[in-house]
Amino acid sequence: MSGAFRCIVLIPSYNSGELLHRTVAEVLTVWPEVVVVSDGSQDGSQHALDDLLPHHAGLHLVRLQRNGGKGRAVLYGAQWAAQAGFTHILTMDADGQHPARSLPEFMAESRQNPQAMILGKPVFGPDAPALRVWGRKLSNGLVWLETAGAVKDCLFGFRVYPLPPFLQAMQKSRFMRGFDFDPEIAVRLVWIGVAAVNKPAPVQYLEKSDGGISHFQYGRDNARLTFMHIRLFLTWLWRMFCGKRKPFLSTKHDQNCG
């Protein structure tokens, strides 16, 4: 990748309530370029940034009329960012889980490794629900196999992507538009030769009393993840044993949690 490094923080948002304003305000204290994609929100959060937009030239809002899923929202934001001249996007959630204070070090890592994707590796605190911590182990194990150990955590959405390969992978697939986005895009990018740098980052789980929200639907989204893993595993087998295998890139370097 040639040219100057330009990265924008991309935040997909669907009915994020008051957390959206808080998250964006925290990001703006450490990084001036932000694009928020309001994914068909109907709870008033599509207007949550009205007081910030006039005072921050680098803050942008893209409104989608209907809710299409996280992956679709990120794709719209990535296309917007590419047209605006950015070379990279840093994705993070609107729900306060991802640490705005870690943005500068992730940006610095991406600047040093512009061809790679920088993947957040969550450091769980005592507030992390045990069901979520243990529930992701199966997904991580399958993705570890499918990427020869390159991806350490497939569900943590705090990441930096180089835009050209990201858009290439997304536009070639009709999948990765919902909750299956985070794990599948990491696998697909490794398969097309994008190196992975795994970097630890803290994760915070907010209680409902603090505004915490979750749009994960156990039946629908677990079915989607199961279908995704079946597709990826069958593709991995085909690549491994049918003469179509391309060399996997392991992590460029894995930064341990301490």
Side-chain angles (χ1 to χ4, degrees):
M1 183 177 299
S2 59
F5 173 87
R6 290 192 64 204
C7 188
I8 189 167
V9 178
L10 195 164
I11 304 175
S13 172
Y14 172 63
N15 289 351
S16 301
E18 297 179 359
L19 283 174
L20 176 61
H21 186 281
R22 187 192 317 174
T23 298
V24 172
E26 289 177 356
V27 170
L28 288 170
T29 64
V30 295
W31 198 260
E33 300 282 0
V34 182
V35 58
V36 175
V37 181
S38 179
D39 187 22
S41 294
Q42 299 176 343
D43 67 338
S45 60
Q46 65 271 31
H47 302 294
L49 306 180
D50 289 352
D51 64 326
L52 293 175
L53 285 164
H55 305 289
H56 297 274
L59 174 61
H60 310 275
L61 177 63
V62 176
R63 289 191 177 98
L64 303 182
Q65 293 301 311
R66 65 177 181 85
N67 176 251
K70 179 179 181 179
R72 175 177 174 267
V74 173
L75 176 57
Y76 269 88
Q79 292 170 330
W80 180 95
Q83 292 175 357
F86 291 93
T87 61
H88 293 71
I89 54 171
L90 185 150
T91 59
M92 63 182 295
D93 293 347
D95 61 4
Q97 287 190 26
H98 297 158
R101 64 184 181 275
S102 295
L103 283 167
E105 60 185 274
F106 270 67
M107 296 293 192
E109 190 69 50
S110 183
R111 189 185 296 273
Q112 293 177 8
N113 300 281
Q115 307 282 353
M117 55 179 166
I118 316 301
L119 304 179
K121 183 179 177 183
V123 180
F124 295 105
D127 59 338
L131 183 61
R132 292 199 184 189
V133 174
W134 286 99
R136 67 198 303 138
K137 289 184 180 293
L138 176 59
S139 284
N140 283 337
L142 289 170
V143 168
W144 184 92
L145 177 67
E146 293 156 357
T147 63
V151 176
K152 304 303 183 187
D153 189 281
C154 67
L155 294 171
F156 196 50
F158 191 75
R159 299 171 171 176
V160 187
Y161 298 104
L163 272 172
F166 176 87
L167 289 172
Q168 174 189 342
M170 289 292 293
Q171 291 167 349
K172 285 180 64 176
S173 173
R174 63 187 180 90
F175 300 108
M176 299 185 283
R177 299 304 189 261
F179 193 78
D180 55 348
F181 163 71
D182 286 316
E184 185 161 355
I185 189 60
V187 173
R188 297 283 181 186
L189 286 174
V190 168
W191 284 356
I192 64 173
V194 177
V197 175
N198 295 277
K199 188 174 180 64
V203 58
Q204 178 183 9
Y205 288 94
L206 298 177
E207 299 291 339
K208 286 187 177 180
S209 59
D210 298 319
I213 56 173
S214 175
H215 298 299
F216 184 83
Q217 296 183 18
Y218 280 88
R220 179 199 67 186
D221 292 323
N222 279 322
R224 177 173 285 168
L225 286 174
T226 299
F227 177 57
M228 177 206 71
H229 280 303
I230 291 172
R231 285 188 291 104
L232 290 178
F233 186 71
L234 291 176
T235 303
W236 175 79
L237 287 175
W238 179 76
R239 291 168 62 94
M240 288 290 291
F241 301 111
C242 295
K244 300 294 185 180
R245 183 182 180 186
K246 296 181 180 180
F248 290 122
L249 294 181
S250 61
T251 54
K252 203 164 191 178
H253 63 276
D254 181 22
Q255 301 185 10
N256 295 321
C257 299

